[in-house]
Amino acid sequence: MTSDLLSRRAAALGGHVPTFYRQPLEIVRGAGVHVWDAQRRQYLDCYNNVPHVGHCHPRVVEAIAQQAATLNTHTRYLHPMVVEYVERLCAKFDHGLTQAIMVCTGSEANDVALRMAQAVTGARGVIATDATYHGNTSAVSALSTRRPPIGGYPPHVRLVPAPEAGMTDAEFAANVADAIAELEAAGEGFSGLMLCPFFANEAFPTVAPGFLCATEQVVRDAGGLIMADEVQPGFGRLGSHWWGHDWIGLVPDIVTLGKPMANGHPVAAVVTRPDIMEAFRSAFGYFNTFGGNPVSSAAALATLDVIEEEALVQNAATVGPHVTEMLRGLDHPFLHEVRGAGLFFGMEFRKDGAPATDFVAELVEQVVARGVLLNKIGRHGEVLKMRPPMPFSHQNAEHLVQVLDDALKATPLDA
Amino acid sequence: MTSDLLSRRAAALGGHVPTFYRQPLEIVRGAGVHVWDAQRRQYLDCYNNVPHVGHCHPRVVEAIAQQAATLNTHTRYLHPMVVEYVERLCAKFDHGLTQAIMVCTGSEANDVALRMAQAVTGARGVIATDATYHGNTSAVSALSTRRPPIGGYPPHVRLVPAPEAGMTDAEFAANVADAIAELEAAGEGFSGLMLCPFFANEAFPTVAPGFLCATEQVVRDAGGLIMADEVQPGFGRLGSHWWGHDWIGLVPDIVTLGKPMANGHPVAAVVTRPDIMEAFRSAFGYFNTFGGNPVSSAAALATLDVIEEEALVQNAATVGPHVTEMLRGLDHPFLHEVRGAGLFFGMEFRKDGAPATDFVAELVEQVVARGVLLNKIGRHGEVLKMRPPMPFSHQNAEHLVQVLDDALKATPLDA
């Protein structure tokens, strides 16, 4: 069955369409923190952040079903739901971030953010880290190192070394300052710095709150804007704060949101200050047909309701440290570091002082074979990455750690 | 109520967020070809193409509700539904277009199409018309004349005069040839031509089938690709054909789809040949988290089912000509032309040989005041644009024409 589906898939979608794991999984059902494959095998989902409040949460499903049966249009007609949602969303932000544009994907959100910074500064130059990913549009993917853009990197993009163990905040800020100087010297000017405040795609290196303060000052001194990509850390995943930028102590001018925002419904947003919104709206006649439609707004509202009513941020704040504490208790010769915040955590493995790439690749397969979903990240794939749905419980955490313990013992050291 | 909502909306979404009509409508419910405002007033919807098979079609609503309650993940896990949908979608195409990438918006689809053409040709130069709109990402909006990109038009974009009454196919082709020569001379090279085969945003000028044959040859001779944006004419709207490119007799290399594809659920796609897909997938590691997810696929599948089972393409083929025939029977001194195909039609008004811009603006308001939704288009807003949901009946057509007749009589000639 699965091999038939794989060949039909390749015929219909083309080659090189990524799947997870050596033996791709056919997942057919989800509920809470669990999913089931076509053979009815259950998996504990420790990886998917899109079903933020749990797979197929009945409250979100009901909101989608009810609004889809009532009306689905676009924001050129007035509708109270998009207004109510943006009001409630913006109430979760400080720093004067009181307005939002609703879009459909994190990629669209970051694409808008880049243009907001251009509209404010009149410049195009933009800086990101050299191990990041902010999305798949032409403009945004130019910030990605995964595959260089066709025709090479555009001249207005500069990538600075991502934070890693041992890098000081002053070093990171100095690299940003150098990149700004390069952009200015090249005549590109400087519009801003885009980063994930948790450095999620950079394998979330351990950095102390305050790490970005010096960088923020460098960016402000140069007249640039701070764009915080909250697609991964946002909506309370880090437990102690609703947003990654508040967790690390960074004041953003623009915040982008995506994946977890409506529990899987294609909803994303750009949140900013009125002065920036005005500059963008004046410079650019932006309209997004599906963005903020009544069904998307209903799904996002229900997701917000569930986060609050089920106290999921508090859950991340209590379960997260419990998990990392238990993970630190695991004994393995290659275990280099357990790190994370809230329900976003991982384990870095090194072997003879080098990234244990092959070991981690095999470990992932061993864990999945035991019915737990997770994955790896890092420049060399040396970090186990875990980012479960937010209703992840202490019991789920204990299940995960038990499986990890078994998998660690079963994975050959010479893998 | 509405004025309170307007001020809350401006505070939350910012200024310059477009609405339709002098007195913006608060639409709260939809069913079939009708919508209702907050005052329970009914409108015949002659404008919205997103609810392609009718507002809140129960079949599509049920498919969304059922799949949302079962599973919503992404294509890195295998799922039969996205494969089944792409198979069924591609079966609607000739010209070797057998593969598709699922995305979330028409903008994302066109953004991918531009990169496919770049991947195949190794060049960036692209041509569109000077009265078009293909979407809102940074890359795609550079093809739009509505608002120049911040920092000016990029050097790889050339806009040719849109077709209009009196322009021959040879003239359009010659302009494209000139633009190609300019791009080559500027060192940009030529990747392709992107256009809507119905020239929807160019106010759908009357062009005969075959109009683009000479242009197609020019593009092929230069090694470029034809990108057909089917967001508006696609899925049978033109009645005689499923796709605008087959209606006009154009063989595309890449086709993009959007708005009507899943009746309002944020779903879009890029359909192409395997050789082009391979070039793109090899050059660019594309992944779209929400694209082709099980709920999106279920919504798109149900929409396809309804189009077929309710014979909506045939409906467009019979009701469309009936409407335009009745519209031609309307008597008005400014009525210059009634035109269209299937359920995409309009009326151009001219006064003293010039576009009757103000008259049409007032006419739209008069029609809306009588409970019928439509809008205007054209470089000077001189064309009434009508594009109703596909279940639009003969009776709906008679209602529309009666209201138009009344509104024409009520609109002052010196408006």
Side-chain angles (χ1 to χ4, degrees), chain A residues 105 108 111 138 147 259 289, chain B residues 105 108 111 138 259 282 289:
Chain A
T105 66
E108 286 191 341
D111 200 290
S138 297
R147 209 70 80 101
K259 300 188 203 297
T289 299
Chain B
T105 66
E108 287 191 341
D111 200 290
S138 297
K259 299 187 203 299
S282 299
T289 299

Side-chain angles (χ1 to χ4, degrees), chain A residues 314-399:
Chain A
Q314 294 87 323
N315 185 65
T318 58
V319 175
H322 180 56
V323 184
T324 43
E325 191 189 321
M326 283 192 292
L327 292 177
R328 287 194 182 98
L330 291 173
D331 184 41
H332 194 275
F334 300 165
L335 179 54
H336 179 73
E337 186 184 34
V338 171
R339 60 183 183 244
L343 285 172
F344 202 144
F345 45 89
M347 307 167 80
E348 181 175 340
F349 293 88
R350 300 183 74 84
K351 181 179 176 180
D352 304 329
T357 305
D358 296 340
F359 175 81
V360 171
E362 178 60 28
L363 179 60
V364 166
E365 301 294 333
Q366 292 284 342
V367 172
V368 173
R370 287 167 174 76
V372 169
L373 302 185
L374 46 59
N375 224 315
K376 59 193 166 73
I377 198 163
R379 285 187 206 269
H380 309 283
E382 74 274 35
V383 179
L384 272 195
K385 176 181 174 186
M386 289 162 277
R387 198 185 46 176
M390 294 279 281
F392 200 73
S393 68
H394 288 285
Q395 193 189 342
N396 299 142
E398 282 148 25
H399 179 189

Side-chain angles (χ1 to χ4, degrees), chain A residues 393-415:
Chain A
S393 68
H394 288 285
Q395 193 189 342
N396 299 142
E398 282 148 25
H399 179 189
L400 163 66
V401 175
Q402 182 59 56
V403 165
L404 266 173
D405 193 27
D406 294 346
L408 281 168
K409 286 170 182 150
T411 305
L413 293 183
D414 58 354

Side-chain angles (χ1 to χ4, degrees), chain B residues 61-371:
Chain B
V61 172
E62 175 59 25
I64 291 170
Q66 194 177 319
Q67 188 57 47
T70 305
L71 181 76
N72 196 15
T73 52
H74 51 75
T75 56
R76 276 174 171 148
Y77 304 115
L78 303 183
H79 198 275
M81 223 170 246
V82 64
V83 175
E84 184 188 345
Y85 180 70
V86 172
E87 287 172 347
R88 283 191 48 196
L89 177 70
C90 291
K92 297 289 182 194
F93 288 89
D94 288 322
H95 319 303
L97 304 170
T98 60
Q99 296 189 338
I101 291 181
M102 300 285 288
V103 295
C104 299
T105 66
S107 296
E108 287 191 341
N110 283 326
D111 200 290
V112 167
L114 293 177
R115 277 175 286 172
M116 284 180 168
Q118 290 172 13
V120 169
T121 62
R124 289 182 71 220
V126 62
I127 298 171
T129 84
D130 67 354
T132 195
Y133 175 77
H134 291 291
N136 60 36
T137 69
S138 297
V140 175
S141 63
L143 301 178
S144 176
T145 45
R146 296 194 183 180
R147 210 70 80 99
I150 296 158
Y153 285 100
H156 68 282
V157 172
R158 287 293 182 287
L159 303 178
V160 296
E164 57 186 355
M167 183 189 283
T168 66
D169 56 345
E171 283 167 351
F172 187 75
N175 287 331
V176 170
D178 289 348
I180 294 171
E182 279 180 39
L183 287 168
E184 298 287 5
E188 295 291 336
F190 174 54
S191 71
L193 170 69
M194 177 174 280
L195 49 71
C196 166
F198 189 63
F199 298 105
N201 290 312
E202 294 86 345
F204 42 99
T206 300
V207 291
F211 180 83
L212 287 171
C213 292
T215 298
E216 183 183 326
Q217 196 56 50
V218 164
V219 171
R220 300 231 180 277
D221 289 348
L225 272 62
I226 302 276
M227 292 167 271
D229 180 338
E230 292 277 359
V231 166
Q232 294 196 63
F235 291 98
R237 175 160 296 279
L238 304 186
S240 59
H241 299 79
W242 262 75
W243 310 111
H245 60 266
D246 287 324
W247 169 82
I248 202 168
L250 173 73
V251 177
D253 302 287
I254 302 167
V255 171
T256 56
L257 307 171
K259 299 187 203 299
M261 191 169 170
N263 220 41
H265 199 87
V267 176
V270 191
V271 184
T272 191
R273 294 194 309 268
D275 59 310
I276 296 171
M277 186 68 85
E278 174 66 25
F280 176 71
R281 289 280 189 194
S282 299
F284 197 84
Y286 188 86
F287 176 70
N288 189 308
T289 299
F290 295 137
N293 73 55
V295 177
S296 294
S297 298
L301 267 170
T303 304
L304 212 52
D305 284 341
V306 175
I307 297 172
E308 291 178 347
E309 289 168 21
E310 297 187 5
L312 294 178
V313 185
Q314 295 87 323
N315 186 64
T318 58
V319 176
H322 180 57
V323 183
T324 43
E325 190 189 322
M326 284 192 292
L327 293 177
R328 288 197 180 97
L330 291 174
D331 184 41
H332 194 276
F334 299 165
L335 180 54
H336 178 72
E337 186 183 32
V338 171
R339 61 182 182 245
L343 285 173
F344 203 144
F345 45 90
M347 308 167 80
E348 181 175 341
F349 292 88
R350 300 183 73 83
K351 181 179 177 180
D352 305 329
T357 305
D358 294 341
F359 175 81
V360 171
E362 178 59 29
L363 179 60
V364 166
E365 301 294 334
Q366 292 285 343
V367 172
V368 173
R370 287 167 174 76

Side-chain angles (χ1 to χ4, degrees), chain A residues 7-348:
Chain A
S7 64
R8 282 174 57 204
R9 181 179 185 269
L13 308 187
H16 318 296
V17 181
T19 53
F20 282 150
Y21 314 129
R22 262 174 227 156
Q23 177 65 44
L25 296 180
E26 182 182 349
I27 302 293
V28 298
R29 190 161 78 82
V33 296
H34 292 98
V35 295
W36 290 265
D37 70 13
Q39 289 75 44
R40 304 189 181 207
R41 176 146 196 232
Q42 175 176 291
Y43 295 83
L44 175 65
D45 187 353
C46 297
Y47 188 72
N48 287 294
N49 59 333
V50 173
H52 192 63
V53 299
H55 287 274
C56 305
H57 194 291
R59 177 80 168 264
V60 181
V61 171
E62 175 59 25
I64 291 170
Q66 193 176 318
Q67 187 57 47
T70 305
L71 181 77
N72 196 14
T73 53
H74 51 74
T75 56
R76 276 174 171 149
Y77 305 114
L78 303 182
H79 198 275
M81 223 171 247
V82 63
V83 175
E84 184 187 343
Y85 180 69
V86 171
E87 287 172 348
R88 282 191 47 196
L89 177 70
C90 290
K92 298 289 182 194
F93 288 90
D94 287 322
H95 320 303
L97 304 170
T98 60
Q99 296 188 337
I101 291 182
M102 300 284 288
V103 295
C104 298
T105 66
S107 297
E108 286 191 341
N110 283 326
D111 200 290
V112 166
L114 293 177
R115 277 175 286 171
M116 285 181 167
Q118 290 172 13
V120 168
T121 61
R124 290 182 71 221
V126 62
I127 298 171
T129 84
D130 67 355
T132 195
Y133 175 78
H134 290 291
N136 60 37
T137 69
S138 297
V140 175
S141 64
L143 301 178
S144 176
T145 45
R146 295 194 184 180
R147 209 70 80 101
I150 296 158
Y153 285 100
H156 68 281
V157 172
R158 286 292 182 288
L159 303 178
V160 296
E164 57 185 356
M167 184 189 282
T168 66
D169 57 345
E171 284 166 348
F172 187 74
N175 288 332
V176 170
D178 288 348
I180 294 172
E182 281 181 38
L183 286 168
E184 298 286 6
E188 296 291 336
F190 175 55
S191 72
L193 169 70
M194 177 174 280
L195 49 72
C196 165
F198 189 63
F199 298 104
N201 290 312
E202 293 85 345
F204 41 99
T206 300
V207 291
F211 180 83
L212 288 170
C213 291
T215 298
E216 183 183 326
Q217 196 56 51
V218 164
V219 171
R220 301 231 179 277
D221 288 348
L225 273 62
I226 301 277
M227 292 167 271
D229 180 338
E230 292 276 0
V231 166
Q232 293 195 63
F235 291 97
R237 176 159 297 279
L238 304 187
S240 60
H241 298 80
W242 262 75
W243 309 112
H245 60 265
D246 287 324
W247 168 81
I248 203 168
L250 173 72
V251 177
D253 302 286
I254 303 169
V255 171
T256 56
L257 307 171
K259 300 188 203 297
M261 191 169 170
N263 220 42
H265 199 86
V267 177
V270 191
V271 183
T272 192
R273 295 194 309 267
D275 59 311
I276 295 171
M277 185 69 84
E278 174 66 24
F280 176 70
R281 289 282 189 192
S282 300
F284 196 84
Y286 188 86
F287 176 70
N288 190 309
T289 299
F290 295 137
N293 73 55
V295 177
S296 294
S297 298
L301 267 170
T303 304
L304 213 51
D305 284 341
V306 175
I307 297 172
E308 291 177 348
E309 290 169 20
E310 297 187 5
L312 294 179
V313 186
Q314 294 87 323
N315 185 65
T318 58
V319 175
H322 180 56
V323 184
T324 43
E325 191 189 321
M326 283 192 292
L327 292 177
R328 287 194 182 98
L330 291 173
D331 184 41
H332 194 275
F334 300 165
L335 179 54
H336 179 73
E337 186 184 34
V338 171
R339 60 183 183 244
L343 285 172
F344 202 144
F345 45 89
M347 307 167 80
E348 181 175 340

